[in-house]
Amino acid sequence: MAYALFITRNDIIKNSPLQGALDADALLPFVRTAQDKYLKNLLGTVLFAYLQAKIVDQTIDTLSVYYQDLINDHIKNTLIWYSVTEYIPFSSIQFKSNGAIKFTSEQGSAPGKTEVDYLLSKAQDNAEYYALRLQNYLIAYSQNIPQYLQSVCNQT
């Protein structure tokens, strides 16, 4: 089965402090990592796989309003901020065949570890805020999103 991302580069650029000049190839692996590490645990395996299949099949728009709200108002925000959290520690470093390279700008100065740690903490706080809202939504509307309550063992 193909692996589908729940957000795009543009979702992150428009809804986070990361800027438009960001290389999508550098960012998308962090989206996948955040999706696997955090989102799958929040949604549960059954709902995660169900939504991924809908994205791959391009039938996500046919889902009920509960799923649309889940994706647009909760999943995207949560995943955006967890992706930022995963990206920040690597943002100024690239790995090349001859090792790691840290880039600096001629027009600015690189932030220190304390500043980066602060930004990481703020991004983590945002991610956790949206994750809590996501969980509350799933609990409140679990009757309308039955895959949330299913486990891998009792799929019907």
Side-chain angles (χ1 to χ4, degrees):
M1 179 176 159
Y3 191 92
L5 296 177
F6 287 79
I7 59 174
T8 66
R9 174 193 177 277
N10 286 341
D11 290 327
I12 294 173
I13 299 305
K14 290 179 182 178
N15 298 293
S16 79
L18 301 181
Q19 300 299 311
L22 190 64
D23 178 17
D25 291 337
L27 181 60
L28 293 179
F30 296 99
V31 174
R32 178 162 182 165
T33 298
Q35 195 165 290
D36 289 341
K37 281 177 66 176
Y38 305 104
L39 193 60
K40 188 181 280 189
N41 289 336
L42 289 166
L43 298 178
T45 303
V46 175
L47 180 56
F48 183 88
Y50 176 76
L51 293 175
Q52 269 215 321
K54 292 294 186 181
I55 292 169
V56 169
D57 295 343
Q58 298 180 357
T59 58
I60 199 83
D61 294 335
T62 65
L63 294 174
S64 75
V65 67
Y66 297 102
Y67 290 96
Q68 298 298 324
D69 288 347
L70 173 65
I71 293 164
N72 295 322
D73 297 339
H74 301 287
I75 289 175
K76 285 187 177 189
N77 289 328
T78 302
L79 187 54
I80 286 166
W81 283 102
Y82 276 126
S83 298
V84 170
T85 300
E86 290 296 316
Y87 176 75
I88 286 174
F90 296 93
S91 60
S92 66
I93 298 173
Q94 288 187 1
F95 296 92
K96 304 291 184 183
S97 60
N98 59 344
I101 299 171
K102 181 177 181 179
F103 287 93
T104 58
S105 170
E106 293 178 15
Q107 299 170 351
S109 61
K113 182 178 179 343
T114 303
E115 293 168 307
V116 172
D117 287 347
Y118 175 75
L119 294 173
L120 183 59
S121 173
K122 296 303 286 181
Q124 185 71 32
D125 289 347
N126 288 344
E128 290 172 0
Y129 167 78
Y130 286 112
L132 180 60
R133 291 193 64 214
L134 170 62
Q135 288 176 315
N136 289 341
Y137 183 86
L138 285 168
I139 291 167
Y141 295 102
S142 60
Q143 297 300 337
N144 304 99
I145 305 172
Q147 296 83 2
Y148 178 62
L149 297 177
Q150 292 178 350
S151 68
V152 174
C153 296
N154 71 359
Q155 292 182 41
T156 55

